Amino acid sequence: MERSSIDFNLIAIITITFIFPLAFGFFITNDGIWFTSVTLHTALEASAGIIAIAVATILLAKSKHKREINHYYWSAIALYAMGIFDFLHSLTEPGDLFILLQSLAVFFGGLFSLLVWVPKKTVNHFLFKLIPFIFVSSILFLAVIILLFNYIIPPMREINGEFIPFAIYLNLICGVSFFITAVFFINLYFNKKNKENLLLIG
């Protein structure tokens, strides 16, 4: 009975976070149903960015009392990166900067999420706070540089409308990274029987 419940939870989360978005994206791009709203996009992306930052803060708090660098800790850093770039992305008009910020959001989110595979370790209070500070400061610094010098951003689309290889590779790395990270959380879910780990797959 317990095994059935676990399988149902896993199937549900995979359907919601992977299958449904892929199917929806395929549907709207192949059946001529294309809806564009800058206002709606801004609201959704801004909300996603704020939620990501809020969840990241909560995840860090879960490890704070033990000063333990674990999968919650690294997931928080990944969410901070995604949240910052997503929020900035929501404030831009469609164009090269718009595409670059979105690509960097998923790229850094995916890349940093791979750190969940690093064995957990207890550190002192200073180091526990220093690592996120370095990561977040670096992301903010990069974001500021991009915003200040956005005029040197190369075209992110080819003449035919296709994304340039750079943007494609960033998203490809993101996809592979999140898949590898998902394997970690699925394995952890079956070992620990903790639904929180399953939720982090999404």
Side-chain angles (χ1 to χ4, degrees):
M1 183 66 69
E2 183 181 1
R3 179 71 179 181
S4 176
S5 176
I6 291 175
D7 289 343
F8 174 78
N9 290 328
L10 182 59
I11 291 171
I13 200 69
I14 289 177
T15 300
I16 294 171
T17 60
F18 290 101
I19 298 177
F20 179 75
L22 287 174
F24 181 73
F26 179 82
F27 175 72
I28 65 172
T29 56
N30 287 274
D31 284 1
I33 302 175
W34 189 262
F35 174 74
T36 302
S37 172
V38 175
T39 303
L40 178 61
H41 175 271
T42 298
L44 291 175
E45 289 290 347
S47 298
I50 293 171
I51 291 171
I53 292 172
V55 172
T57 304
I58 293 171
L59 290 176
L60 274 184
K62 287 181 68 69
S63 306
K64 184 178 180 180
H65 67 288
K66 293 183 179 179
R67 299 193 307 276
E68 188 175 76
I69 297 180
N70 53 23
H71 56 284
Y72 291 123
Y73 189 89
W74 294 122
S75 294
I77 289 176
L79 285 170
Y80 274 129
M82 290 187 68
I84 291 169
F85 278 117
D86 259 340
F87 184 77
L88 294 175
H89 163 75
S90 73
L91 303 179
T92 61
E93 294 290 334
D96 296 326
L97 179 61
F98 178 90
I99 296 172
L100 178 61
L101 290 174
Q102 175 62 32
S103 298
L104 289 176
V106 295
F107 170 74
F108 282 114
L111 201 62
F112 291 165
S113 72
L114 291 174
L115 293 171
V116 299
W117 287 93
V118 175
K120 63 182 179 180
K121 181 179 181 181
T122 300
V123 296
N124 59 52
H125 183 73
F126 175 75
L127 188 58
F128 184 88
K129 288 192 171 183
L130 179 63
I131 295 174
F133 176 79
I134 292 174
F135 273 91
V136 173
S137 297
S138 299
I139 289 296
L140 287 172
F141 177 76
L142 177 60
V144 169
I145 293 298
I146 291 173
L147 293 175
L148 289 177
F149 299 97
N150 65 83
Y151 54 86
I152 65 173
I153 296 174
M156 300 299 288
R157 286 182 181 273
E158 305 283 4
I159 297 177
N160 60 5
E162 297 292 329
F163 290 112
I164 64 171
F166 176 69
I168 294 173
Y169 291 145
L170 287 180
N171 283 270
L172 180 61
I173 292 172
C174 155
V176 173
S177 298
F178 277 129
F179 177 79
I180 296 173
T181 303
V183 171
F184 172 86
F185 282 111
I186 290 173
N187 180 62
L188 193 63
Y189 171 65
F190 281 116
N191 288 332
K192 301 290 186 179
K193 307 297 188 295
N194 187 342
K195 292 181 181 179
E196 283 186 359
N197 296 318
L198 190 60
L199 292 174
L200 286 172
I201 294 174

